[in-house]
Amino acid sequence: MTADVEQLEFQAEARQLLDLMIHSVYSNKDAFLRELISNASDALDKLRFEALQNKDWDVDTSDLHIELEVDKQARTLTVRDNGIGMTRDEVVSLIGTLARSGTAELRRKLQEAKDSAAAEELIGQFGVGFYSTFMVADKVELLTRKAGTRGGTRWVSTGDGTYTVESVDDAPQGTAVTLHLKPVDTDDDLHDYTSEWKLRELVKKYSDFISWPIRMQVERRTPGKDGGEDQVTVETQTLNSMKALWARPKDEVSEEEYKEFYKHISHAWDEPLEVITMKGEGTFEYQALLFIPSHAPFDLFHRDAKTGLALYVKRVFVTGDCEQLIPRYLRFVKGVVDAEDVSLNVSRELLQQDRQLTAIRRRLTKKVLSTIKSMQSERPDDYRTFWSQFGAVVKEGLMSDADNRDTLLRICSFASTHSDEQLTTLPEYVERMKEGQDKIYFATGQSREQLLKSPHLEAFKAKGYEVLLLTDPVDELWTGTVIDFDGKPLQSVAKGEVDLDTEEEKKAHEAEREEQQREFGDLLSWLKDVLSDHVKEVRLSTRLTESPACLITDNFGITPALARMYRASGQVVPVGKRILELNPKHPLVKGLQQAHANRGEDDTPLRETAELLYGTALLAEGDIPEDPARFAGLLADRLARTV
Ligand code: ADP
């Protein structure tokens, strides 16, 4: 060892994950090879692309390949590539930490994952990549040199929480990962990763489509002449067919092959819910192979969550996470697009303006949406899985993709007052609309339970009108953009005026309303004055049947929930005053009216009642009064007088 060998600790989450791997009873230990080969293949892709962009770069790209090397005596398996390699800093940051987004989420789940089954699932979901080697090895060595630089780095760990890094003078370009394999029962070829047979099988199964040759030296025995000793010769064989999966006709590719390819490109361990193949001919030639995953990745809602499509040009990898190929709201779609006529030398910036990519993006979007739509009608179980994982992301499209808005509205499903268990689609809602109902009503909030108890819903319940219960944060946003569906306006139950009466009912109620207006008029203007810091108007309600009061936002006003979201993201939002609506039939409101009419000089108790009324209206919608301590004090005083 040279002097600069450094011993470092894995970052806490990485250590926990490693621990999981080492003690894992994960049934599919073979997967480690797929992970190593995937990483090697990515490294070769990156090198070739860099070299194409930078013709003067002094690197050797003449024979890019992956190599498996076995030492049966030492029980080691080495996976070597002559790709891009890593610098010492990169080794530390990429291998020593979980540098990717979603780590916080992983940390939480790791704490929750009590039993081993939960931990196994976690391994599958997070896709542990390089660390999976510790399922089969008790020591792992990595030797790497970044292409175009001198000097390499050796990294060694037994997975016990620390690793060493050391600079070495001489290392071949690229990366070699050597596994010191755990002992196996003799004769157990099934799990012996030094067995030629086993390695061949695994490469065929997991990595056949890798576009780089995966080579191995194999021994060939030929019987010796005249009964003499067998002749042993060593030759190098390529184990994979290297056929790009997306370029093969769909009926020639097995489901297994698609699944493995999905795992390779997505670095995920779940199964795809749907495989989509596409071919564009004519002006814009391209082939695409897309997957809809069955599990949302950890970082789906992370600000820098990556999109999932890789761009190839005539089989040559150009870039992963190609933003231009798919809108943000479909960022969970994984896959490959291979275009014919994009220039390979084009920079990332120019890619953004590429007309061909824009056209492809439009078609991919339509295709993905129509696939989800068919899934919805033909495979409802899969659709439900899909929606539970990705629904909240898809809804982002309602704001950003006006062209596909109608299709998007049709594939969305929502909780509603119609059923406790099942979600509803908008067409189903419209189908159930009551005679005389001309709007689609919805409520937004934090949970179904809270919404169901909200005073805003009372009139709708009484009338038997269905209300959509929208509880994703994104619902606050898109409902401000989408005006209608199928010609029916979308209306928040907490906004504007609500009048569910038919024309006849209106006539019948007219006299009563006028009477109420006369009766309560003074109280309303007095309250408006007393509560002027909080509300801009006080009026009688047609939406309340049980509660005394509720708060309403103007039709185009910002709801408190939305204001909170904006503030949380650092934006300044003016405090919009709302409207206080009173239920003229409620004993509290009636009593207040009486007390107001008979009030004397000192109206302090009455003012306090007004404050309490306003505070309870906030509480009823799940909010808290502006000054909770004062509210609690007022309430306690009041209660003290009634016990
Ligand atoms: P993932 O591949 O899912 O990102 P890994 O833990 O497998 O996670 O690898 C972490 C990172 O280390 C990779 O994203 C890559 O940047 C780098 N890396 C891993 N293996 C290699 C390799 N053979 N050559 C170059 N870089 C590599």
Side-chain angles (χ1 to χ4, degrees):
M1 280 195 191
T2 48
D4 71 338
V5 49
E6 234 187 310
Q7 184 167 25
L8 295 170
E9 272 189 23
F10 284 102
Q11 166 214 32
E13 293 78 35
R15 210 163 49 226
Q16 271 175 295
L17 204 57
L18 268 173
D19 224 44
L20 261 181
M21 298 308 322
I22 290 166
H23 301 112
S24 164
V25 285
Y26 198 82
S27 43
N28 190 8
K29 294 199 190 322
D30 294 350
F32 83 91
L33 189 63
R34 173 187 75 209
E35 297 297 320
L36 288 181
I37 291 177
S38 267
N39 284 347
S41 159
D42 290 352
L44 294 165
D45 282 344
K46 284 179 199 159
L47 179 70
R48 176 168 57 180
F49 183 65
E50 289 291 326
L52 280 170
Q53 296 243 305
N54 182 355
K55 294 261 185 302
D56 305 328
W57 204 27
D58 185 23
V59 295
D60 182 12
T61 57
S62 58
D63 179 30
L64 299 181
H65 65 277
I66 300 166
E67 210 175 298
L68 306 184
E69 193 182 290
V70 164
D71 183 335
K72 269 192 178 287
Q73 256 70 52
R75 284 199 52 71
T76 60
L77 167 66
T78 300
V79 178
R80 179 177 299 124
D81 65 70
N82 52 355
I84 191 90
M86 286 175 270
T87 63
R88 181 172 171 143
D89 286 350
E90 281 171 339
V91 171
V92 171
S93 70
L94 294 169
I95 307 287
T97 61
L98 299 175
R100 43 197 237 214
S101 50
T103 309
E105 177 75 3
L106 177 71
R107 185 183 312 136
R108 196 171 60 69
K109 296 236 173 161
L110 274 169
Q111 274 156 6
E112 280 169 12
K114 294 273 177 300
D115 56 33
S116 59
E120 295 296 295
E121 175 155 338
L122 201 59
I123 294 175
Q125 271 183 34
F126 198 69
V128 286
F130 180 77
Y131 290 172
S132 61
T133 49
F134 287 98
M135 293 193 296
V136 298
D138 40 32
K139 178 169 149 194
V140 178
E141 273 182 74
L142 178 143
L143 181 65
T144 184
R145 177 166 67 82
K146 180 95 173 181
T149 69
R150 287 145 174 263
T153 305
R154 174 179 285 119
W155 177 100
V156 184
S157 179
T158 52
D160 61 353
T162 63
Y163 59 88
T164 57
V165 266
E166 161 192 15
S167 298
V168 291
D169 293 339
D170 208 22
Q173 168 188 310
T175 305
V177 179
T178 300
L179 311 184
H180 295 258
L181 296 164
K182 291 182 184 172
V184 279
D185 305 341
T186 39
D187 300 341
D188 185 5
D189 243 18
L190 213 59
H191 292 108
D192 186 358
Y193 301 109
T194 64
S195 136
E196 176 196 323
W197 172 85
K198 179 71 185 170
L199 293 171
R200 264 180 199 283
E201 186 209 52
L202 291 183
V203 169
K204 218 47 204 161
K205 183 166 159 202
Y206 289 132
S207 313
D208 190 58
F209 49 78
I210 296 285
S211 54
W212 306 102
I214 305 171
R215 296 181 191 149
M216 185 164 68
Q217 292 212 326
V218 297
E219 286 183 355
R220 282 220 146 172
R221 275 173 193 279
T222 37
K225 284 196 189 94
D226 308 325
E229 280 197 4
D230 285 359
Q231 296 272 313
V232 180
T233 47
V234 176
E235 65 177 43
T236 303
Q237 286 187 0
T238 298
L239 308 180
N240 57 329
S241 75
M242 295 188 278
K243 282 191 196 141
L245 211 65
W246 61 88
R248 288 166 56 190
K250 194 173 183 178
D251 53 6
E252 281 179 18
V253 183
S254 74
E255 210 175 308
E256 271 315 304
E257 284 178 289
Y258 278 132
K259 280 186 191 164
E260 291 310 332
F261 185 69
Y262 163 73
K263 291 178 186 177
H264 163 66
I265 50 152
S266 66
H267 291 267
W269 291 34
D270 64 335
E271 309 258 300
L273 207 54
E274 184 81 71
V275 181
I276 305 170
T277 53
M278 288 174 75
K279 204 175 158 90
E281 271 153 10
T283 348
F284 296 127
E285 267 184 55
Y286 68 92
Q287 285 169 319
L289 174 55
L290 311 182
F291 300 90
I292 299 179
S294 54
H295 271 92
F298 278 81
D299 60 355
L300 191 58
F301 290 101
H302 207 269
R303 197 175 317 188
D304 42 49
K306 299 223 158 57
T307 51
L309 298 191
L311 174 66
Y312 283 68
V313 172
K314 296 194 202 65
R315 315 278 179 277
V316 175
F317 172 85
V318 175
T319 171
D321 62 89
C322 184
E323 295 271 334
Q324 291 72 42
L325 283 173
I326 197 102
R328 286 291 296 163
Y329 74 89
L330 296 178
R331 58 184 173 273
F332 55 86
V333 176
K334 306 284 180 193
V336 168
V337 175
D338 194 341
E340 284 297 317
D341 306 314
V342 178
S343 160
L344 260 175
N345 294 318
V346 74
S347 68
R348 279 190 184 230
E349 290 68 42
L350 278 176
L351 271 180
Q352 282 175 14
Q353 298 148 22
D354 191 281
R355 273 183 53 235
Q356 176 167 354
L357 294 193
T358 312
I360 294 177
R361 171 197 178 104
R362 206 172 303 127
R363 292 198 207 151
L364 298 191
T365 307
K366 290 227 183 301
K367 179 72 181 181
V368 170
L369 295 183
S370 67
T371 305
I372 299 170
K373 197 147 188 288
S374 329
M375 195 198 288
Q376 188 182 27
S377 53
E378 288 153 25
R379 289 155 44 209
D381 285 346
D382 282 349
Y383 167 77
R384 272 192 288 278
T385 305
F386 166 78
W387 193 255
S388 70
Q389 297 292 314
F390 303 111
V393 189
V394 172
K395 284 189 279 190
E396 292 173 13
L398 292 170
M399 294 170 285
S400 55
D401 189 354
D403 286 348
N404 291 303
R405 188 169 288 162
D406 189 63
T407 317
L408 279 164
L409 283 170
R410 282 171 198 279
I411 60 174
C412 283
S413 45
F414 308 102
S416 97
T417 51
H418 175 70
S419 159
D420 286 344
E421 287 107 41
Q422 282 186 8
L423 302 183
T424 181
T425 62
L426 287 176
E428 286 162 359
Y429 179 105
V430 170
E431 190 73 15
R432 283 190 296 267
M433 277 168 69
K434 287 250 159 37
E435 181 93 17
Q437 179 184 353
D438 53 4
K439 290 183 179 143
I440 297 171
Y441 293 104
F442 65 88
T444 54
Q446 299 196 352
S447 73
R448 182 192 170 87
E449 290 67 36
Q450 191 188 86
L451 285 177
L452 281 175
K453 289 179 201 140
S454 153
H456 295 132
L457 245 60
E458 290 173 9
F460 299 87
K461 275 192 211 147
K463 196 85 183 171
Y465 283 4
E466 180 173 349
V467 177
L468 301 175
L469 305 170
L470 310 181
T471 53
D472 284 325
V474 64
D475 292 327
E476 294 285 348
L477 300 168
W478 73 262
T479 50
T481 317
V482 179
I483 299 163
D484 59 1
F485 170 73
D486 208 10
K488 316 269 184 308
L490 282 149
Q491 172 69 47
S492 162
V493 297
K495 281 188 166 187
E497 305 255 6
V498 158
D499 199 344
L500 304 181
D501 283 352
T502 60
E503 286 305 315
E504 284 106 79
E505 286 168 328
K506 270 191 195 123
K507 275 210 191 87
H509 290 154
E510 206 169 350
E512 187 190 0
R513 297 251 162 99
E514 279 172 20
E515 175 56 32
Q516 285 172 345
Q517 213 54 47
R518 262 196 301 281
E519 201 182 330
F520 289 90
D522 285 349
L523 174 68
L524 298 181
S525 43
W526 178 80
L527 276 173
K528 183 179 168 192
D529 199 36
V530 173
L531 296 173
S532 62
D533 281 353
H534 310 294
V535 301
K536 62 174 181 189
E537 191 187 334
V538 183
R539 67 187 182 206
L540 293 180
S541 182
T542 50
R543 73 183 90 208
L544 294 174
T545 59
E546 289 155 36
S547 306
C550 68
L551 287 156
I552 303 298
T553 308
D554 269 345
N555 243 338
F556 298 102
I558 294 180
T559 61
L562 189 55
R564 269 197 298 275
M565 277 171 59
Y566 282 137
R567 283 195 198 106
S569 71
Q571 297 185 56
V572 185
V573 202
V575 195
K577 287 188 194 167
R578 293 201 286 164
I579 300 162
L580 180 68
E581 282 197 359
L582 301 185
N583 176 0
K585 300 214 165 101
H586 195 280
L588 173 56
V589 178
K590 283 194 198 158
L592 193 59
Q593 192 270 329
Q594 292 291 322
H596 177 256
N598 305 324
R599 73 189 182 285
E601 281 287 293
D602 179 17
D603 61 358
T604 315
L606 212 55
R607 285 173 172 270
E608 290 176 357
T609 312
E611 242 181 274
L612 284 166
L613 186 68
Y614 171 69
T616 41
L618 280 173
L619 284 174
E621 58 178 34
D623 216 334
I624 41 171
E626 280 98 345
D627 186 348
R630 179 176 162 79
F631 179 83
L634 288 177
L635 188 61
D637 283 350
R638 213 34 88 84
L639 291 173
R641 270 178 257 155
T642 59
V643 284

